Amino acid sequence: MRPTEDFPGFDPAVDPQEQVDRAIALLGRRPDLQGRLRINPDPARKRQAGGWSVFGFRGSAGEFNESPHLLLHVADNAVCARVILPNKARGGLWTRLRRARLAHLMSPVLREMTPAMANCPGMEPRLILKQRHWRTRSGPSFQDAYLDFDLRTLRGHPDSGVKRQPEWVEAAQHVVANKASNLELQVGATFPYDHCPAIRTVDALDHVASAWIGCRPFIEWLRVG
């Protein structure tokens, strides 16, 4: 698609939530996201704070934290565009994931994201497992564990310097197969400000959309979108 002229690019000096709100309003209008991923154009998250927001998929029921969804997060050092499988996901999705081979699920995602990475040097395809707990229902969460690795470790990527290191996806496989905690899975892209200059340009939302669309094999496996 043509660059979104109403969005100048992400800027670490600008309020993160202000950027997220502006970006999410424009991304929700994109026909590629509505057509290829079947997102609901209105953000699923109503309370706006903290530099993030999410899109649900058409046909998803319940709260956004009970179904797979798309996350846009603007942090101090990077922009993140990911597919989230929340801990409370319904429909037996975690049971299906335990029985699947994570490397086989992520290989087509990496393949689909390769053109997006070629158009956006510095973009990083990543898989994240996050485990948290809460002492009280209204209190803050405590992050007990965080596993974050580059999907290019599945087969190596000499141009970027990423080596083939299959032990990382094997570690993630072990965690998923033995899930006994409040676990969240994230798959998508990180755009670090310090070595991904394209995320600061008017093409930024195209790169975010391409990252989400690159995750379509996993979204389809989840039987959403």
Side-chain angles (χ1 to χ4, degrees), residues 124-164:
E124 300 174 355
R126 308 200 74 84
L127 185 148
I128 294 165
L129 287 170
K130 180 189 299 185
Q131 190 264 310
R132 297 173 290 176
H133 77 275
W134 285 259
R135 290 182 180 173
T136 64
R137 298 184 67 178
S138 59
S141 65
F142 293 83
Q143 184 166 283
D144 300 306
Y146 189 87
L147 173 63
D148 177 353
F149 67 92
D150 194 311
L151 284 176
R152 290 171 291 189
T153 57
L154 287 170
R155 54 176 179 248
H157 192 266
D159 291 344
S160 66
V162 177
K163 297 181 180 180
R164 182 176 181 273

Side-chain angles (χ1 to χ4, degrees), residues 6-217:
D6 292 333
F7 194 80
F10 292 96
D11 186 339
V14 177
D15 177 75
Q17 193 60 50
E18 178 183 327
Q19 296 185 83
V20 167
D21 292 344
R22 188 174 181 184
I24 215 82
L26 295 168
L27 288 163
R29 303 175 195 168
R30 292 180 66 108
D32 53 351
L33 295 179
Q34 292 191 38
R36 300 178 73 178
L37 299 186
R38 299 183 68 246
I39 67 164
N40 284 319
D42 296 322
R45 179 181 178 241
K46 304 303 182 185
R47 181 173 58 84
Q48 303 297 309
W52 63 275
S53 192
V54 300
F55 285 118
F57 297 98
R58 293 201 295 272
S60 296
E63 299 293 327
F64 77 86
N65 62 351
E66 297 175 339
S67 301
H69 52 271
L70 301 181
L71 168 74
L72 177 65
H73 178 212
V74 176
D76 293 337
N77 60 346
V79 176
C80 305
R82 297 170 184 157
V83 180
I84 307 296
L85 178 62
N87 178 67
K88 295 181 180 179
R90 299 178 177 181
L93 292 177
W94 281 103
T95 299
R96 289 181 59 218
L97 192 62
R98 288 190 188 100
R99 298 169 180 167
R101 293 299 303 168
L102 204 53
H104 294 167
L105 291 178
M106 293 301 114
S107 288
V109 171
L110 182 59
R111 182 174 61 248
E112 292 291 321
M113 292 183 74
T114 297
M117 288 187 286
N119 291 328
C120 187
M123 169 184 166
E124 300 174 355
R126 308 200 74 84
L127 185 148
I128 294 165
L129 287 170
K130 180 189 299 185
Q131 190 264 310
R132 297 173 290 176
H133 77 275
W134 285 259
R135 290 182 180 173
T136 64
R137 298 184 67 178
S138 59
S141 65
F142 293 83
Q143 184 166 283
D144 300 306
Y146 189 87
L147 173 63
D148 177 353
F149 67 92
D150 194 311
L151 284 176
R152 290 171 291 189
T153 57
L154 287 170
R155 54 176 179 248
H157 192 266
D159 291 344
S160 66
V162 177
K163 297 181 180 180
R164 182 176 181 273
Q165 296 169 316
E167 64 265 30
W168 294 114
V169 73
E170 291 169 5
Q173 180 79 53
H174 176 80
V175 173
V176 169
N178 295 278
K179 180 182 183 298
S181 60
N182 195 323
L183 191 65
E184 177 179 284
L185 175 72
Q186 304 183 8
V187 178
T190 298
F191 304 90
Y193 284 126
D194 62 359
H195 62 273
C196 185
I199 203 63
R200 298 172 179 252
T201 72
V202 294
D203 297 310
L205 298 190
D206 287 342
H207 299 314
V208 167
S210 294
W212 280 335
I213 291 170
C215 296
R216 186 169 57 166

Side-chain angles (χ1 to χ4, degrees), residues 212-225:
W212 280 335
I213 291 170
C215 296
R216 186 169 57 166
F218 183 55
I219 294 170
E220 292 177 344
W221 182 87
L222 292 169
R223 298 173 184 169
V224 297

